Amino acid sequence: MFRFEKSGNTIIIFALLVLVSAAPPALGSEEAHFVSPLDLLGIRTAGDARISPCGESIVYTVSVPREASDEPGGAYRELYLASIKTGEIHPFITGKVNIESPRFSPDGSKIAFLRPGQKSGKKQIWMIPVDGGEAVQITDCGTGVSGFRWHPGGERIAYRAIDPACEETVKYDKKGYDFIYYEEDLRNFSIYITGIYEETGYEEKRLTEGVNVAGFEFSPDGKKIAASITPENLIDHIYMFQKINILEIETGQIESVSRNEGKLGNYALSPDGSKLAYTASLDRKDHSVSQGYVLDLTTGRIVNIGGDDFHGHVKNIAWKDNKTVISLAAEGAWNTISTCSASGGKRKIILDGRETGLVFDFPTFTPDLAGFAFTASSPSIPRDLFYWKKGAKTPARMTTLNPWISERRLGRQEVIRYSARDGLEIEGILVYPATWTEGEKYPLIVGVHGGPEAHYSNSWIGSYFNPAQVLAGKGYLVFYPNYRASTGYGVDFAARGYMDAAGKEFDDIADGIDFLVSEGLADRERVGMGGGSYGGYASAWFASYYTRYVRAVCMFVGISDIISKRGTTDIPWEELYVHSGKKLDEDDDQWEFSLKRSPIYYAKQSRTAVLILGGASDTRVHPSQGIEFYRRLKMNGHPAVRMVQYPGEGHGNRKQPGRIDVLYRHLEWYDWYVRDLKPIDGPMPPLFLFDRYGLEPGVKESEKD
């Protein structure tokens, strides 16, 4: 159990201590002015901001990265409460904890959240009073709670949990017959509802059975639940086959109501329960959630509130009142928040990132739409908590989780535009060297986003694999292109990569490099590239097909062989419907096309230093993708190729040892081959990193005494 001190002085002092402890370790004098790798690894970020029903406070989490010497694992997450009136920050639960999904009770007097249970260690629902007291565990679910929602009445909570394993599975597992029955013996996620006070007499009740629930939301009157349901509990089905159903809580009756094809975003029932607002893709081949819809549950009429020609992507939606919806959209490198009539019509932008200089997440807001809480980022703010009073010119910044950034010399960051070879305008983010001098040419690093259903915003670009300001401090020019197929520019722009993998989309990246060289900013002979997932595919493509453009690449969880990728990924239907468009077996042209759009096909001609990194347990882009590329390069006598795999990691590294290694290793790869122009046919960078950088690896739980 945890308790927070009610004394105002204690709260303020502790909050200051938290901010001081957020500072990274002291750096050597030569690097003190620039963002270092250690700085980046210590960045704290705010998340999951929720405003109280009365609009007086905001609950949120803070992500605190583990140090190298900690036991391997993901970042810790702490729980905080911010007073909107005074600006005071109240630390509720801090330290080496993992808090998720904080939610105010309907009356605002309590906060429920997820954290590991006392006995099982699996995630359970806990509750803590807002005015102080101990946190109390509410559930004891044997398989753990994956998500929850307060019942509007405030005396019950519904949660989602995976069904227990069948008796046969348990029996055989205990005897060592713990075989993997691939995509069989699947267990569904179900909804349960339970009382939180003994005096109410509410007992736990299972609400769904025989269906897989991907998510759910209560109706405002608490009598119904809107639930997204998939045919089976497979990630591919969650990507492509979710349908919204209405569940009557008392009778258990379920009715499918949505007719969306393809990807589904968030959804909510109107205050009177007569309409359903949701975000989804425009059609099945649309590779991302892009539209906002309102479905009349009585007539079945569906309205696309933004219009299918909107030059952006609607990402989230909620209800202001029975006649008005509010939505968040990505529009180029910025986000906007708008209101619109539920019957359609012109959007009214009420908060524009281009005017505030912030890229914000979808807010939570008071019932009267007077106060908004959200987390936001900018080129110099990784992610802090903000409050916006409607009508105010700019949002108020509530936290400064990384005050040391103001003491660092950052590279200037801006949105740039250039023309691709066919005349289409392409946008991207450019970060200048921190020591930039006009007229000089600089080594260039190109960072390619994954998806390709994603885009770079004009926000803080700084993670273990996108260390923009670390690179800027090292004297690099850094470019992040939003090549065609990116989101944020409308469905037509996003669809230009459909059935054309590694086509015009990657030509756009090459044209961006040419543009920066022609502008006299980048040194043609010193260009590197890195990307993860689809960005890793781009990196492999530039290391082979476009090898003349780049001297070194880092391919992280990337694709090298489209043919084998289709047969080893955990999202084959998503790949078919929104990317390739045809099955390999449909015609011979598909085999040839897929082969010739695979980097392995051009591996023999590579003259680029290739670093291949990835999780050994990746199910999205199988580790064999890296192995295939490595083998083709090595068998053709390539002198500068290295592959490192991270045990237990999937499609991206969660634990700090792998993150630390990726950061230092790919930075050193760029320094070696791009900045310092070491010969491709000479020695590679040293293999081991931790000792050389003074990092002390942590100890695994299994190795402790």
Side-chain angles (χ1 to χ4, degrees):
M1 300 295 182
F2 291 78
R3 189 191 302 273
F4 89 92
E5 300 292 335
K6 294 180 66 175
S7 165
N9 291 333
T10 302
I11 291 169
I12 295 172
I13 291 171
F14 186 40
L16 290 173
L17 287 174
V18 168
L19 289 177
V20 171
S21 68
L27 302 173
S29 58
E30 293 182 1
E31 298 182 68
H33 295 102
F34 306 118
V35 177
S36 74
L38 278 178
D39 287 336
L40 200 65
L41 291 167
I43 283 177
R44 300 180 176 218
T45 55
D48 217 339
R50 299 279 163 174
I51 196 166
S52 63
C54 63
E56 294 181 354
S57 55
I58 305 169
V59 66
Y60 64 101
T61 59
V62 173
S63 176
V64 182
R66 298 185 188 218
E67 296 182 1
S69 57
D70 286 348
E71 178 187 337
Y76 301 113
R77 285 182 300 273
E78 301 177 331
L79 184 67
Y80 290 83
L81 190 72
S83 169
I84 293 172
K85 185 176 181 180
T86 67
E88 290 184 358
I89 303 297
H90 304 263
F92 262 42
I93 304 176
T94 61
K96 296 184 177 182
V97 295
N98 286 291
I99 308 298
E100 296 180 40
S101 306
R103 298 289 187 274
F104 281 104
S105 60
D107 64 2
S109 65
K110 301 169 191 66
I111 299 168
F113 55 89
L114 294 178
R115 69 170 299 183
Q118 289 179 313
K119 297 179 181 179
S120 67
K122 297 181 184 296
K123 284 189 291 188
Q124 305 294 340
I125 302 172
W126 293 66
M127 186 174 66
I128 189 170
V130 169
D131 59 359
E134 293 186 343
V136 177
Q137 184 175 330
I138 300 301
T139 61
D140 189 20
C141 176
T143 59
V145 175
S146 63
F148 72 93
R149 294 290 183 269
W150 281 95
H151 184 275
E155 296 180 337
R156 289 184 287 175
I157 282 181
Y159 66 89
R160 176 177 166 265
I162 197 167
D163 296 345
C166 65
E167 292 182 7
E168 289 85 351
T169 298
V170 174
K171 179 178 69 175
Y172 286 116
D173 282 356
K174 288 181 178 179
K175 294 184 177 182
Y177 295 83
D178 49 346
F179 307 146
I180 297 171
Y181 303 100
Y182 194 68
E183 294 189 352
E184 289 192 64
D185 194 26
L186 299 173
R187 293 183 284 157
N188 289 327
F189 279 90
S190 300
I191 302 176
Y192 300 80
I193 190 167
T194 186
I196 58 175
Y197 305 111
E198 290 184 6
E199 59 269 22
T200 62
Y202 289 124
E203 295 183 358
E204 184 167 281
K205 178 182 178 182
R206 181 171 179 165
L207 298 181
T208 61
E209 194 162 359
V211 296
N212 184 61
V213 178
F216 70 95
E217 300 289 346
F218 275 109
S219 63
D221 65 5
K223 296 180 179 180
K224 300 177 182 178
I225 285 177
S228 47
I229 290 175
T230 65
E232 292 183 288
N233 182 20
L234 292 169
I235 186 67
D236 208 14
H237 286 209
I238 293 170
Y239 263 58
M240 294 302 299
F241 305 136
Q242 289 190 61
K243 300 292 183 183
I244 305 174
N245 291 246
I246 301 298
L247 165 67
E248 298 282 350
I249 293 177
E250 290 302 318
T251 64
Q253 181 180 349
I254 297 179
E255 178 187 3
S256 180
V257 294
S258 69
R259 300 193 296 274
N260 61 291
E261 287 191 342
K263 296 183 178 179
L264 176 69
N266 80 311
Y267 47 90
L269 287 160
S270 60
D272 64 5
S274 67
K275 297 181 178 67
L276 177 74
Y278 61 96
T279 55
S281 55
L282 178 65
D283 52 32
R284 192 174 67 177
K285 70 177 183 295
D286 181 4
H287 67 30
S288 179
V289 170
S290 62
Q291 313 295 312
Y293 296 100
V294 173
L295 165 65
D296 189 311
L297 295 173
T298 303
T299 66
R301 181 173 179 261
I302 299 176
V303 175
N304 186 333
I305 62 164
D308 55 17
D309 60 347
F310 172 53
H311 294 297
H313 276 66
V314 179
K315 308 307 293 183
N316 298 87
I317 197 166
W319 290 93
K320 176 193 173 200
D321 52 46
N322 285 320
K323 296 182 179 180
T324 312
V325 293
I326 182 169
S327 62
L328 173 79
E331 299 190 51
W334 303 99
N335 287 352
T336 59
I337 297 174
S338 305
T339 57
C340 183
S341 169
S343 59
K346 189 175 181 180
R347 297 181 310 128
K348 179 183 178 183
I349 297 177
I350 60 174
L351 190 62
D352 193 333
R354 288 162 289 208
E355 296 175 358
T356 64
L358 296 171
V359 176
F360 32 77
D361 296 317
F362 192 52
T364 57
F365 44 87
T366 54
D368 59 0
L369 212 67
F372 294 72
F374 50 80
T375 56
S377 175
S378 79
S380 60
I381 301 173
R383 188 163 300 280
D384 269 311
L385 176 68
F386 287 80
Y387 170 75
W388 181 56
K389 186 176 182 180
K390 189 177 179 183
K393 201 167 186 180
T394 57
R397 186 176 177 181
M398 303 289 290
T399 61
T400 304
L401 295 175
N402 302 282
W404 55 268
I405 289 179
S406 64
E407 301 171 2
R408 300 294 186 268
R409 189 173 174 182
L410 303 181
R412 186 174 89 245
Q413 180 172 313
E414 64 185 23
V415 180
I416 66 166
R417 296 175 183 85
Y418 61 93
S419 293
R421 63 192 66 178
D422 61 0
L424 185 68
E425 184 178 78
I426 304 298
E427 193 171 76
I429 308 296
L430 186 65
V431 183
Y432 291 81
T435 55
W436 181 72
T437 300
E438 189 170 358
E440 289 192 19
K441 294 181 180 180
Y442 292 89
L444 170 67
I445 300 299
V446 182
V448 186
H449 68 69
E453 53 269 29
H455 69 280
Y456 287 109
S457 299
N458 194 24
S459 59
W460 175 267
I461 304 175
S463 66
Y464 70 101
F465 193 63
N466 272 321
Q469 290 298 338
V470 175
L471 289 165
K474 284 175 165 284
Y476 291 99
L477 185 72
V478 196
F479 175 48
Y480 296 98
N482 285 334
Y483 53 95
R484 73 189 78 191
S486 300
T487 55
Y489 301 90
V491 173
D492 180 63
F493 185 90
R496 296 189 187 199
Y498 180 63
M499 299 182 72
D500 190 27
K504 292 181 179 179
E505 53 191 15
F506 291 171
D507 291 346
D508 291 345
I509 301 172
D511 295 341
I513 295 172
D514 287 335
F515 170 76
L516 294 171
V517 170
S518 68
E519 290 292 300
L521 297 171
D523 182 348
R524 169 74 73 184
E525 303 305 316
R526 293 190 294 168
V527 179
M529 179 180 291
S533 194
Y534 208 81
Y537 175 33
S539 299
W541 187 254
F542 273 77
S544 53
Y545 180 86
Y546 267 144
T547 187
R548 69 184 186 277
Y549 273 92
V550 292
R551 203 164 193 277
V553 303
C554 180
M555 170 192 175
F556 184 44
V557 295
I559 303 160
S560 69
D561 180 354
I562 291 183
I563 294 174
S564 61
K565 191 262 184 181
R566 291 195 195 189
T568 54
T569 184
D570 60 358
I571 49 172
W573 290 109
E574 194 267 355
E575 195 284 330
L576 171 64
Y577 287 145
V578 307
H579 297 297
S580 61
K582 284 185 177 181
K583 295 178 182 177
L584 274 170
D585 323 84
E586 284 192 41
D587 54 58
D588 291 341
D589 290 344
Q590 276 297 298
W591 289 95
E592 183 177 3
F593 175 86
S594 297
L595 176 62
K596 290 184 177 180
R597 294 301 174 92
S598 297
I600 59 166
Y601 188 74
Y602 307 95
K604 184 177 180 179
Q605 69 187 39
S606 177
R607 298 296 179 266
T608 301
V610 182
L611 178 62
I612 303 169
L613 306 175
S617 300
D618 191 354
T619 57
R620 188 64 34 79
V621 176
H622 196 273
S624 60
Q625 289 293 306
I627 295 171
E628 284 191 57
F629 199 41
Y630 177 86
R631 281 280 176 255
R632 293 272 54 80
L633 292 167
K634 294 291 282 187
M635 293 298 288
N636 282 289
H638 197 298
V641 57
R642 171 174 287 163
M643 182 171 68
V644 180
Q645 293 189 333
Y646 302 95
E649 297 287 13
H651 199 54
N653 290 353
R654 186 184 67 86
K655 302 172 188 175
Q656 89 276 21
R659 291 189 169 202
I660 292 169
D661 189 81
V662 167
L663 175 60
Y664 280 94
R665 191 174 297 282
H666 90 286
L667 286 174
E668 189 163 273
W669 197 259
Y670 292 151
D671 289 350
W672 193 270
Y673 290 110
V674 178
R675 186 189 65 185
D676 300 338
L677 292 175
K678 295 286 180 69
I680 300 295
D681 58 356
M684 292 194 293
L687 186 61
F688 297 101
L689 297 173
F690 274 73
D691 290 343
R692 288 192 295 112
Y693 287 101
L695 299 168
E696 182 182 348
V699 178
K700 294 181 180 180
E701 186 70 33
S702 59
E703 296 175 354
K704 290 184 178 180
D705 293 335

